[in-house]
Amino acid sequence: MLLVLSEEHKEHLAFLPKVDTKVVGEFGRITMEFLRRGTSPKIYEGAAKKLCVPVEIVQHGVEGLMFLMLESSKHMLSEVDFLDSVLVLGFDEELNQILLQLYLQHHNQIRSILSHLPSSLPAYHNLEWRLDIQLASRLCRQQVIPMLTMRLLLTRGCDSHSDYSSRVLQADPSTLLYLISTLEAALAAIKTSHGRRILRNIK
Amino acid sequence: MELSESVQRGLQALADASSFDQSSFQALIDVSHRSLLSSHGDPAVLDHPELKQIDQILLKQVHTAATTFILEAVKQNADKSTISSSLEELTFSAEKIEIFYSIYQKHKKELEHLLASIGRRPAQINDISWRLQYHMKNGQVDKVNEPFYSISLNSEKDGCSEDMNFTCTMEQLQDLVGKLKDAAKSVEKASQM
């Protein structure tokens, strides 16, 4: 597929051919930093001073570059598609190649950053368990009740690097066996012909 | 079995043949067991035809003593000889002891169940359900193309049911199942000791 760039976007990117290729590389670095950690006006000011252009031009150039990288990574553009999309900007071959290299180098990283954006349900992290035998309680002496106590650790929504939420749960042995058989059936579902067909054909 | 003074006095009154003959004794023991097992407090629990002749205050004292004794016996899992010797000490006749024990036997299991279910414990897992889905794309990323599971774990605590929803990849689900199977193996080993 090809990217369709808006007029405004093309305008912003029009700044790139006017500068040295080293500068384009520098912009690429600023772009990646922007995606990883955000940006500060100082960076733009510094670059603008060095190049003797207004700050907005630098800012737009970087943002334009960043948006180009983001959209290409989001859609997993192939090399050919990327070059074709960039063709419309009318840059020379060398600049196109630089942009392509930038894209190829970073698109996996960009995709992984993007994948952390959507808010997600809590995800499984770990299960800790122990087997206890209850011998007595306040109202009942002389018991022999086997009990499985478990701690389920789940990630909290969006960021998988944040704390985990933990729940303490108990199950008796028969419930445990039921859980195992149900989840084994779940695992088998991926391997059915229907499952395989979908996984193969939707790419 | 250790019993408080008031319970002992109540039971001695119950043992007394002049206050309680065998049929009224049987009625009281029966009523005592039922009152423990019924789920609602019933003010009319002592309205039994056999018990109408007995002084109501005495009846209440005796009922309290009997139910306390029954609960204590269930709690300690007392065997027949323990119950018999306790009742003998309280001047119960052999026939009354027999009557008591046969009614007690009938209800013992249910009472045990009842006592075991009272108390606090962590949420108990009731059920688990799963869905297998294929994640194609989302607002930020296109062409994700990954299968994943949505698991819903239902648990209950103090009568309140709760659903825990989470996702996992196939590898994570395999990890979870592996750990559950380890737990099951340890249960099996423990049961063979």
Side-chain angles (χ1 to χ4, degrees):
Chain A
M1 74 167 271
L2 287 182
L3 282 184
V4 177
L5 306 171
S6 70
E7 284 311 310
E8 194 186 352
H9 192 186
K10 289 189 212 160
E11 250 180 61
H12 292 173
L13 287 172
F15 175 54
L16 291 179
K18 301 202 184 106
V19 297
D20 202 22
T21 50
K22 247 200 276 180
V23 177
V24 177
E26 182 64 17
F27 278 11
R29 199 192 53 81
I30 298 179
T31 301
M32 287 314 295
E33 270 311 297
F34 190 160
L35 284 175
R36 274 189 225 112
R37 268 179 260 167
T39 186
S40 77
K42 276 195 239 157
I43 302 183
Y44 292 145
E45 278 163 17
K49 238 192 255 179
K50 260 199 278 179
L51 297 166
C52 308
V53 291
V55 183
E56 298 86 50
I57 305 271
V58 176
Q59 186 172 347
H60 288 159
V62 172
E63 286 173 0
L65 188 57
M66 183 190 74
F67 191 65
L68 176 67
M69 292 295 133
L70 269 181
E71 286 293 298
S72 313
S73 304
K74 172 173 166 180
H75 296 288
M76 284 270 273
L77 251 45
S78 64
E79 276 189 40
V80 175
D81 284 345
F82 181 83
L83 284 173
D84 286 343
S85 311
V86 160
L87 219 56
V88 74
L89 293 165
F91 294 165
D92 62 34
E93 191 52 34
E94 195 190 354
L95 186 53
N96 284 349
Q97 280 304 316
I98 293 179
L99 291 175
L100 178 64
Q101 284 314 307
L102 205 58
Y103 169 62
L104 290 177
Q105 236 186 324
H106 294 120
H107 74 275
N108 280 330
Q109 231 182 52
I110 296 178
R111 266 182 84 81
S112 114
I113 294 176
L114 283 177
S115 69
H116 287 139
L117 275 179
S119 61
S120 54
L121 284 173
Y124 168 78
H125 179 74
N126 198 7
L127 181 84
E128 300 166 354
W129 61 268
R130 58 189 247 181
L131 174 62
D132 293 321
I133 312 246
Q134 182 166 313
L135 300 176
S137 73
R138 190 181 75 169
L139 288 168
C140 230
R141 313 284 189 261
Q142 300 195 14
Q143 294 173 315
V144 183
I145 306 181
M147 258 299 151
L148 262 146
T149 308
M150 296 182 268
R151 197 159 81 115
L152 181 63
L153 290 169
L154 302 173
T155 63
R156 289 185 211 277
C158 4
D159 187 359
S160 62
H161 300 297
S162 61
D163 291 337
Y164 305 116
S165 76
S166 83
R167 303 299 301 272
V168 176
L169 301 161
Q170 269 189 346
D172 53 48
S174 53
T175 309
L176 178 66
L177 293 175
Y178 167 70
L179 292 178
I180 293 176
S181 71
T182 311
L183 292 179
E184 282 187 318
L187 280 172
I190 269 192
K191 305 205 177 85
T192 59
S193 56
H194 177 72
R196 282 197 228 263
R197 209 181 314 137
I198 303 277
L199 262 62
R200 243 202 325 262
N201 291 318
I202 302 189
K203 284 259 178 273
Chain B
M1 281 180 14
E2 292 200 16
L3 303 163
S4 71
E5 265 198 48
S6 61
V7 170
Q8 288 180 34
R9 266 181 279 134
L11 287 172
Q12 278 164 343
L14 187 55
D16 184 3
S18 55
S19 319
F20 284 89
D21 63 10
Q22 282 202 5
S23 58
S24 54
F25 174 77
Q26 179 156 348
L28 179 75
I29 298 300
D30 210 36
V31 155
S32 302
H33 279 89
R34 280 179 213 286
S35 65
L36 284 172
L37 288 168
S38 75
S39 49
H40 307 288
D42 183 7
V45 65
L46 294 173
D47 282 348
H48 194 283
E50 290 281 348
L51 302 172
K52 282 222 187 345
Q53 307 301 326
I54 303 168
D55 170 48
Q56 291 302 295
I57 297 182
L58 175 66
L59 196 56
K60 286 200 186 120
Q61 286 170 334
V62 163
H63 176 249
T64 309
T67 48
T68 310
F69 182 81
I70 294 167
L71 284 176
E72 204 45 39
V74 175
K75 180 166 105 176
Q76 308 285 353
N77 199 20
D79 56 14
K80 184 167 188 185
S81 69
T82 314
I83 295 180
S84 301
S85 52
S86 298
L87 290 177
E88 264 171 40
E89 273 177 43
L90 296 163
T91 74
F92 276 78
S93 68
E95 295 84 15
K96 279 190 174 173
I97 293 180
E98 260 322 298
I99 294 174
F100 176 86
Y101 194 71
S102 70
I103 300 180
Y104 173 76
Q105 277 289 86
K106 258 196 286 174
H107 299 285
K108 179 179 173 189
K109 224 178 168 68
E110 222 182 316
L111 284 167
E112 265 175 0
H113 239 300
L114 181 62
L115 288 186
S117 69
I118 297 177
R120 293 190 196 283
R121 44 197 191 157
Q124 304 291 306
I125 298 182
N126 272 342
D127 199 1
I128 192 165
S129 57
W130 57 270
R131 281 187 293 159
L132 172 58
Q133 295 172 299
Y134 192 62
H135 186 182
M136 289 181 60
K137 60 161 85 173
N138 58 58
Q140 277 72 28
V141 191
D142 209 352
K143 299 205 188 161
V144 178
N145 294 342
E146 267 167 18
F148 71 100
Y149 288 94
S150 281
I151 311 271
S152 178
L153 195 59
N154 178 265
S155 65
E156 191 187 312
K157 188 183 166 91
D158 298 334
C160 300
S161 158
E162 190 193 338
D163 274 323
M164 258 163 283
N165 296 312
F166 59 94
T167 62
C168 49
T169 63
M170 190 173 95
E171 291 78 25
Q172 288 169 334
L173 187 58
Q174 281 170 336
D175 180 65
L176 175 57
V177 173
K179 295 201 161 95
L180 290 176
K181 280 174 142 165
D182 286 340
K185 260 190 241 144
S186 85
V187 172
E188 210 190 304
K189 255 196 263 172
S191 69
Q192 285 163 359
M193 282 189 218

